[in-house]
Amino acid sequence: MADVTLFDAQSENTASPRVASKLSIVVPTLNERENLEPLLDLLSTALGDTAWEAIFVDDDSCDGTPERIRELARRDPRVRCLQRIGRRGLATACMEGLLASASPYIAVMDADLQHDERLLPLMLEALDSGAVDLVIGSRYVAGGGVGDWSSGRVRISGFATRLARFICKADIADPLSGFFMCRREVFEAALRRMSGQGFKILLDLLASSPEPPRVRELPYSFRERQHGESKLDTMIAWEYGMLLADKLVGRFVPVRFALFGVIGGLGLLVHLVVLWIALNSMGVGFSAAQAIATLVAMTSNFVLNNQFTYRDQRLRGPGLLRGLVIFYMICGVGAVANVGVASYAFTSHHAWWLAGAAGAVVGSVWNFAMSSVFTWRRR
Ligand SMILES: Nc1nc2c(ncn2[C@@H]2O[C@H](COP(=O)(O)OP(=O)(O)OP(=O)(O)O)[C@@H](O)[C@H]2O)c(=O)[nH]1
Ligand SMILES: [Mg+2]
């Protein structure tokens, strides 16, 4: 593919040309300050005179990562920083980095030097040959490996990989790899169907592609992390479950809504337990007991939804309190709508259970729709 040469207005005197990049490498970062410079050195060496750029997408790291990226960007115009405030999530970080790029070839790789940058020229070569659309750095083909993972992590990763193969539309050894390169069109065709849930952007891309892309896997050995800490935690498994659920049933019921409904059901249980306790051991009247139970149930629903349903937009600090108050208000209106619809249906001679269910559905849809806009609104 021919490189396009642009004129750099700032350096008119030296008339130095800038070359539009052929490859954009998106690197998600969360507290990776010490890895940035070594990574850029490795990329420069590996990619030689290929025109490339690195877009670091940082979720407001507190160790000075975004400042260090900008410092490096002042020295090297191939480096860019996209800093997101109040957001979390590796998959959405990569998606937004890819959207901020324009190169015909795009790649995703981790910042922590665990992905072997020497694969990048081979990936480019494979795409240039025209034979494939997507090249994966694979730990699970001959010649690849997972380094010094514990046996527990190997087992969990093997299990997660088997699950992933169910939902991706191609026979791929390592659909959970975080290291891949593809033609821009592959990403653009899948983009609007992608979930953006959790850590596994490649699986999301594969499962969301309208046509299975032509894939090649190249082996590499996952290296040991040199600096900084792993961001893997127990919630990764949860987020992975959300991604799988979305890919399996998301067409029929939005997974967030289903989860919101399940938490709402739990809230009913909490309500009844608290009501019973208030009536039997707090010595208050029914109205007061009902008010206490309602408050506790709404609060527990808020906490659970904040922790699970809207984990990627989790509220913290003062935002948490503000969100809670908005949630109380929305649920208050939801309860009025619920009772109104149910009473109307009941007086229109519908069965009690149908009237009750209609009220509950209207109330839940209201609560879900309003709280996703006003409580956990995307910034
Ligand atoms: N922007 C952004 N980057 C993230 C987030 N979580 C992780 N990352 C980055 O994504 C990459 C992969 O995260 P790691 O913690 O290294 O995960 P891993 O490589 O699967 O696990 P380890 O082997 O334990 O390192 C790293 O570059 C992280 O800095 C996030 O929420 N937002
Ligand atoms: Mg890592």
Side-chain angles (χ1 to χ4, degrees):
M1 187 154 311
D3 288 335
V4 183
T5 304
L6 300 176
F7 188 70
D8 186 351
Q10 271 204 327
S11 41
E12 217 166 29
N13 294 338
T14 50
S16 107
R18 261 193 338 181
V19 177
S21 45
K22 174 179 181 177
L23 169 67
S24 295
I25 305 162
V26 170
V27 185
T29 58
L30 197 59
N31 300 328
E32 302 284 1
R33 190 175 48 133
E34 299 309 324
N35 288 314
L36 302 170
E37 214 163 340
L39 176 67
L40 286 172
D41 289 344
L42 291 172
L43 289 178
S44 291
T45 310
L47 288 163
D49 50 15
T50 302
W52 58 275
E53 64 175 352
I55 302 174
F56 290 91
V57 187
D58 186 79
D59 281 350
D60 213 17
S61 299
C62 53
D63 71 339
T65 298
E67 292 76 14
R68 177 66 65 85
I69 299 168
R70 281 191 281 271
E71 199 182 302
L72 292 164
R74 281 191 283 274
R75 303 207 302 254
D76 185 343
R78 295 174 300 188
V79 178
R80 287 163 57 198
C81 177
L82 202 149
Q83 185 176 1
R84 308 194 305 170
I85 313 283
R87 305 271 307 280
R88 273 290 153 87
L90 194 148
T92 55
C94 294
M95 288 163 73
E96 287 168 33
L98 294 173
L99 283 168
S101 73
S103 312
Y105 296 152
I106 51 186
V108 170
M109 79 187 285
D110 288 356
D112 54 9
L113 317 179
Q114 290 180 300
H115 293 159
D116 191 340
E117 71 294 333
R118 290 170 302 177
L119 230 54
L120 290 168
L122 305 177
M123 291 172 157
L124 266 178
E125 206 179 293
L127 292 179
D128 265 340
S129 76
V132 292
D133 306 310
L134 172 74
V135 191
I136 301 172
S138 178
R139 299 158 296 182
Y140 299 129
V141 290
V146 292
D148 65 345
W149 280 7
S150 66
S151 58
R153 188 167 175 186
V154 170
R155 266 200 307 278
I156 292 170
S157 174
F159 177 65
T161 301
R162 278 195 295 282
L163 281 180
R165 290 197 194 119
F166 270 124
I167 63 161
C168 78
K169 297 174 182 163
D171 182 22
I172 289 168
D174 195 358
L176 299 181
S177 174
F179 185 29
F180 62 91
M181 188 188 292
C182 66
R183 297 180 196 288
R184 172 159 215 94
E185 302 86 74
V186 173
F187 169 65
E188 284 178 356
L191 176 64
R192 286 185 171 72
R193 301 170 186 216
M194 289 174 73
S195 313
Q197 287 281 349
F199 242 58
K200 302 302 174 189
I201 183 171
L202 174 62
L203 175 63
D204 198 0
L205 179 68
L206 289 166
S208 310
S209 292
E211 298 292 328
R214 295 168 303 163
V215 176
R216 182 172 301 165
E217 292 186 79
L218 299 177
Y220 85 100
S221 248
F222 200 73
R223 295 184 193 133
E224 215 175 307
R225 187 182 253 284
Q226 298 296 324
H227 308 282
E229 283 172 13
S230 168
K231 279 90 209 170
L232 284 183
D233 60 19
T234 46
M235 285 315 288
I236 297 296
W238 169 261
E239 289 174 354
Y240 184 52
M242 291 276 280
L243 172 63
L244 293 180
D246 187 46
K247 288 297 150 210
L248 288 171
V249 300
R251 255 171 300 156
F252 312 110
V253 194
V255 172
R256 268 198 222 270
F257 181 60
L259 206 56
F260 196 86
V262 170
I263 289 174
L266 270 176
L268 180 63
L269 211 68
V270 170
H271 183 105
L272 294 176
V273 170
V274 175
L275 184 62
W276 185 85
I277 294 172
L279 284 174
N280 291 292
S281 54
M282 287 169 68
V284 292
F286 184 81
S287 302
Q290 174 73 355
I292 294 170
T294 306
L295 206 68
V296 173
M298 281 196 298
T299 310
S300 83
N301 279 9
F302 173 78
V303 170
L304 290 174
N305 279 312
N306 193 48
Q307 190 62 25
F308 297 105
T309 318
Y310 293 98
R311 184 175 166 76
D312 52 336
Q313 295 156 62
R314 214 169 351 156
L315 301 169
R316 293 182 171 89
L320 189 73
L321 202 65
R322 188 178 155 277
L324 179 62
V325 172
I326 295 174
F327 190 73
Y328 284 154
M329 287 177 353
I330 290 170
C331 293
V333 177
V336 172
N338 177 343
V339 174
V341 168
S343 308
Y344 176 75
F346 189 64
T347 51
S348 309
H349 307 293
H350 288 291
W352 64 268
W353 58 269
L354 192 61
V361 168
V362 169
S364 311
V365 171
W366 163 271
N367 289 348
F368 176 70
M370 290 299 119
S371 60
S372 62
V373 174
F374 294 108
T375 313
W376 289 280
R377 62 169 178 233
R378 284 192 182 277
R379 269 171 276 191

